[in-house]
Amino acid sequence: MTSPLASEAAPFGRVLTAMVTPFTADGVLDLGAAQRVASHLVDHGNDGLVVSGTTGESPTTTGAEDARLLAAVLEAVGDRASVVAGVGTNDTRHSVELAQQARKAGAHGLLVVTPYYSKPPQSGIVQHVTEVSRAGEDVPVLLYDIPGRTGVQIAEPTYAELVANPLVVAVKDAVGDLERGAWLMGEVGIRLYSGDDALNFSWLALGASGVVSVVGHVAGRQYADMVAAIDAGDLHTARAINDRLLPVVRAIMTHTQGAITSKAALQLLGVIEHRTLRGPLLAATDDEVAIVRHALETAGLLTN
């Protein structure tokens, strides 16, 4: 299925949030809450969502749960936003199954993280992506390069091999090397999405297609305004937005894992009832909630 917002310059939209997966108090997948979160995000500036990613606690959900979650989110917002399904694992066969499942459900894109833990050779990464993209048939692929979590980085020559596949259209970059990313965009021709909220302004100023954010749970509209300002050449306004959001980025991204703080923030905003996570992640402590609350209030994102 083609995304309603797809373009050559931004194949998955401009402001995407890597969406949390809501659970009930006893840890059961809460599809109603997931649809509320998805609608809230799209109503507040996001034109794309990533489901079953790291922030969605994908290591703890089953394939059947991933299918139900994706279907629920597509039903809620699939006509208003790009919905990208996380299908990357460290098992090519499993990722192939998830890609086939996501294609059948109508996903607009596939997020394929570099296989983690096993540290495959670069040729293994190419083979993995090739098989997963083939399973998705006509669904475009968003690579996810995050060596801090996977233990392996996609090499520059490997990108040239990967983009020879017309379905590999973009990368969510969490490497953090701005010069390298600019080179990949210019010389390899791959579209780049910022995968690190602390670098959103910098990546956008360098020509990134957009952001795949965690802070977008609470600041999607602000990031959309930042994108618009940079598109208009107004770096002063874009930088002011970035500066205003810095306390929120720190609160959500540096004190503990982003899924933990994002659920705390959504609970503070009244979007979800429970901030339950699945082990080994733990729900935010009262001190962690207080840090998030203070940051949201400081940035004017929480007023009650």
Side-chain angles (χ1 to χ4, degrees):
M1 181 186 297
T2 302
S3 164
L5 299 166
S7 70
E8 183 178 351
F12 304 105
R14 308 299 302 280
V15 179
L16 293 83
T17 287
M19 193 182 114
V20 299
T21 300
F23 301 117
T24 64
D26 54 357
V28 175
L29 182 65
D30 190 336
L31 295 179
Q35 291 190 317
R36 289 194 299 275
V37 171
S39 296
H40 172 82
L41 294 176
V42 175
D43 289 343
H44 290 80
N46 287 273
D47 58 0
L49 302 175
V50 174
V51 298
S52 297
T54 308
T55 308
E57 300 175 71
S58 59
T60 72
T61 56
T62 67
E65 287 176 322
D66 293 340
R68 292 164 57 209
L69 176 65
L70 176 60
V73 171
L74 283 166
E75 179 182 61
V77 300
D79 60 339
R80 298 194 290 140
S82 299
V83 180
V84 179
V87 300
T89 71
N90 60 353
D91 176 359
T92 301
R93 288 180 299 176
H94 187 204
S95 291
V96 163
E97 292 170 359
L98 293 176
Q100 291 170 335
Q101 176 175 272
R103 175 188 57 78
K104 291 176 183 176
H108 303 131
L110 304 176
L111 179 72
V112 182
V113 70
T114 310
Y116 41 85
Y117 185 73
S118 55
K119 290 190 175 181
Q122 295 295 309
S123 57
I125 294 173
V126 172
Q127 180 175 316
H128 177 84
V129 173
T130 299
E131 293 188 26
V132 175
S133 67
R134 184 182 299 122
E137 296 186 6
D138 59 347
V139 184
V141 169
L142 174 62
L143 301 171
Y144 188 11
D145 198 355
I146 181 167
R149 287 186 182 272
T150 65
V152 63
Q153 181 172 304
I154 303 175
E156 291 178 7
T158 303
Y159 275 102
E161 291 187 65
L162 291 169
V163 299
N165 180 344
L167 289 173
V168 178
V169 297
V171 59
K172 176 187 176 184
D173 186 286
V175 175
D177 186 333
L178 295 170
E179 186 277 334
R180 176 179 183 270
W183 189 91
L184 289 172
M185 285 187 282
E187 297 299 321
V188 178
I190 194 165
R191 299 297 182 183
L192 187 146
Y193 284 80
S194 171
D196 182 350
D197 280 305
L199 294 179
N200 285 349
F201 170 77
S202 300
W203 278 127
L204 290 168
L206 282 170
S209 294
V211 303
V212 180
S213 175
V214 177
V215 178
H217 282 99
V218 296
R221 186 168 288 136
Q222 287 73 22
Y223 281 135
D225 290 343
M226 182 190 292
V227 167
I230 289 176
D231 285 351
D234 186 356
L235 292 182
H236 176 78
T237 295
R239 189 166 58 247
I241 295 169
N242 183 69
D243 291 346
R244 192 160 61 248
L245 291 177
L246 284 177
V248 183
V249 172
R250 286 200 166 196
I252 289 181
M253 301 305 297
T254 65
H255 290 282
T256 186
Q257 211 265 7
I260 296 172
T261 46
S262 294
K263 285 189 175 180
L266 290 172
Q267 187 184 51
L268 288 169
L269 292 172
V271 180
I272 59 175
E273 182 178 359
H274 306 288
R275 59 177 187 266
T276 312
L277 291 98
R278 287 180 175 172
L281 299 185
L282 301 174
T285 65
D286 289 344
D287 286 344
E288 289 164 346
V289 173
I291 290 170
V292 173
R293 178 190 293 275
H294 177 71
L296 294 178
E297 291 174 344
T298 300
L301 301 176
L302 180 66
T303 56
N304 55 354

